[in-house]
Amino acid sequence: MRKIILSALLLILVVLSVFSIYLFPETAVIENHIVPLNIDRGDTAWMLVATGFVLLMTPGLGFFYGGMVGKKNVISTVLQSYMAMVIVTVLWVIIGFGLCFGPSIDGVIGDPTSNFFFNGVNATTAWELAPTIPFILFALFQAKFAIITPALITGAFAERVRFWAYLLFLVLFVVFVYSPLCHMTWHPEGLLYKWGVLDFAGGTVVHMSAGWAALAGAIFLGKRKSQKTKPARITYVLLGTGLLWFGWFGFNAGSAVGANGLAAQALGTTSVAAAAASMGWVFIDKILGHKLSAMGACIGAVVGLVAITPATGFVTIPSALAIGLIASIVSNLVVSKFPKGKVDDALDVFSCHGVGGMVGMLLTGIFASKSVNSIVGDKQGLIYGDSTLFFIQLKALIFVSFFSFSVSFLLFYVVNKIIPLRVSEDKEELGLDISQHGEYL
């Protein structure tokens, strides 16, 4: 049955791709926040580079996670990230971009019919909030965010998930969790956008959604047969961290959608927050009686990158230093206190990405400054004497947390009814590399 379904799916995709020019004629209507292109070559060149940077983060994440799991699960873990690049790219072209940035349906989701198979997504028009770069470049830049978000979740259910079930969850998550949050946060008519929520590069859309989905997955799938796994390659973790840190410059500075002062500011805050968090993490480890470890330094850096993401284009450099330090302290304590005997979040995705994203969202409400970004307006951070933005961020945090966890848990339930999520105990003992892929290191 699975072979028949996959064959039919491939045939449908081939037919739609070949005849898309007839089925989805290029629109000539300027609507839905699409404007004539006023191209700036510098902005376009930077965004081409930034798009490549962000894509590099996903294989970097694969190495980051792959080095942490047991040796018999490295290939499967890394492949989960690589397949996110494959599946989500195709999904994005067909309906994903339209769901995120198509004409708004009640501020909750976009209408995908306007951009089926990238209909109307071309190099001659532009998105209203990125008027100096081609519309297709903006769409492809945003695709990389959609790719890495479900890949982040995989660390929570590492070493025990059936690969085909993961691929189905991947598709459903992008459609039913990522796309609504992306639309609500970054579309000018989105619900959270109209609330005044500040999320420069994905605190809610990427990290909180992935973190809460990871917790839902860890709870639903249950504990591994053996939770005491020796990391396969710490050097993979170091390599993955370096690729993530490098790619994050495109993630955050690229979200300025131009080669401008705001991009430079975002690059600076990203650098400082990551370094501060890495330092803070190893200091806390030492205070708690642990050795200074490569793993700790890497995890700390990633927590800092996560926490600065929503704030990066809204805060000063000293504020970024504070955000990195605070996030590392909070996440480290959550990791050390998390009830691992009850909930097996294998690679601490919730404690790092979920908690880091929430800390970053709240600290944006504390440190956001109009001197950095005029979009902040009069609703500056709490440190400047105004509590309005802080409570807007807090309201968004509560809403996104509930939405992401509940919908993700429901999706795990649905997927499990179609394809059992967990491998058998024998296959888990054998390792996913052999049992799922017939390969080994």
Side-chain angles (χ1 to χ4, degrees):
M1 178 61 72
R2 184 184 300 169
K3 292 180 181 179
I4 295 174
I5 293 173
L6 291 174
S7 299
L9 179 59
L10 286 174
L11 180 60
I12 292 170
L13 287 176
V14 169
V15 171
L16 289 176
S17 300
V18 171
F19 295 103
S20 62
I21 189 172
Y22 304 107
L23 296 172
F24 315 111
E26 189 77 10
T27 179
V29 180
I30 304 299
E31 58 182 358
N32 183 41
H33 304 281
I34 302 171
V35 299
L37 175 63
N38 181 25
I39 194 165
D40 182 289
R41 293 183 179 180
D43 289 351
T44 301
W46 161 237
M47 292 307 296
L48 287 167
V49 171
T51 301
F53 276 24
V54 184
L55 182 63
L56 185 64
M57 292 174 66
T58 302
L61 178 71
F63 277 104
F64 183 72
Y65 282 170
M68 294 182 183
V69 298
K71 190 174 181 180
K72 60 187 178 183
N73 295 304
V74 174
I75 294 173
S76 184
T77 301
V78 176
L79 186 60
Q80 287 169 4
S81 290
Y82 273 80
M83 286 305 293
M85 293 193 290
V86 174
I87 301 297
V88 178
T89 297
V90 175
L91 181 65
W92 189 255
V93 169
I94 298 172
I95 63 169
F97 180 69
L99 288 171
C100 291
F101 293 96
S104 188
I105 301 175
D106 298 324
V108 175
I109 194 70
D111 179 359
T113 60
S114 64
N115 296 121
F116 271 139
F117 283 80
F118 262 32
N119 171 45
V121 182
N122 53 50
T124 59
T125 56
W127 180 245
E128 181 182 64
L129 301 181
T132 61
I133 65 172
F135 190 30
I136 190 171
L137 177 55
F138 172 79
L140 292 172
F141 176 70
Q142 287 294 332
K144 313 316 175 195
F145 288 69
I147 288 169
I148 197 170
T149 304
L152 292 170
I153 303 168
T154 61
F157 48 65
E159 303 186 310
R160 62 198 189 276
V161 70
R162 194 184 298 262
F163 205 85
W164 284 102
Y166 157 68
L167 294 182
L168 178 56
F169 173 79
L170 178 87
V171 171
L172 295 178
F173 176 85
V174 171
V175 172
F176 293 105
V177 179
Y178 180 86
S179 294
L181 287 176
C182 180
H183 184 85
M184 285 189 278
T185 305
W186 288 334
H187 193 285
E189 297 176 27
L191 179 67
L192 299 183
Y193 189 98
K194 288 187 174 182
W195 283 2
V197 173
L198 295 183
D199 184 0
F200 194 79
T204 57
V205 181
V206 178
H207 299 296
M208 282 182 58
S209 68
W212 282 107
L215 182 61
I219 293 172
F220 189 89
L221 269 78
K223 296 181 289 185
R224 289 166 291 174
K225 189 174 181 180
S226 175
Q227 296 183 49
K228 296 181 179 180
T229 302
K230 182 180 179 181
R233 293 282 189 278
I234 302 297
T235 49
Y236 284 3
V237 180
L238 289 161
L239 173 62
T241 303
L243 293 173
L244 283 168
W245 196 332
F246 178 81
W248 226 291
F249 292 134
F251 198 82
N252 286 356
S255 293
V257 291
N260 49 41
L262 188 57
Q265 181 71 20
L267 189 147
T269 54
T270 301
S271 303
V272 170
S278 184
M279 184 186 74
W281 192 283
V282 296
F283 279 22
I284 292 296
D285 276 353
K286 186 64 177 178
I287 292 169
L288 295 176
H290 308 306
K291 291 184 178 180
L292 193 161
S293 66
M295 186 86 81
C298 290
I299 293 172
V302 171
V303 166
L305 292 165
V306 168
I308 196 60
T309 292
T312 185
F314 302 121
V315 300
T316 63
I317 295 294
S319 294
L321 187 70
I323 289 171
L325 290 172
I326 293 169
S328 67
I329 294 170
V330 174
S331 286
N332 191 308
L333 293 176
V334 172
V335 167
S336 63
K337 301 298 181 182
F338 196 81
K340 288 186 172 57
K342 298 179 180 180
V343 180
D344 185 13
D345 181 354
L347 306 183
D348 295 312
V349 179
F350 176 72
S351 300
C352 295
H353 288 276
V355 172
M358 287 187 282
V359 169
M361 283 297 294
L362 290 180
L363 293 181
T364 302
I366 293 177
F367 293 113
S369 170
K370 64 182 178 182
S371 67
V372 174
N373 192 331
S374 60
I375 198 174
V376 173
D378 294 330
K379 297 176 182 177
Q380 294 197 95
L382 194 62
I383 199 171
Y384 298 101
D386 186 355
S387 63
T388 306
L389 178 60
F390 177 81
F391 286 108
I392 290 173
Q393 300 292 101
L394 178 60
K395 182 169 71 168
L397 184 152
I398 296 170
F399 171 79
V400 172
S401 298
F402 175 78
F403 176 82
S404 299
F405 180 84
S406 58
V407 177
S408 297
F409 195 91
L410 177 61
L411 293 181
F412 280 114
Y413 177 82
V414 171
V415 170
N416 194 55
K417 288 294 184 180
I418 301 171
I419 307 174
L421 276 161
R422 282 204 66 153
V423 298
S424 65
E425 286 192 6
D426 291 343
K427 290 182 178 179
E428 182 180 339
E429 183 68 28
L430 181 62
L432 301 186
D433 291 356
I434 290 291
S435 68
Q436 300 295 294
H437 313 291
E439 298 172 316
Y440 58 91
L441 287 179

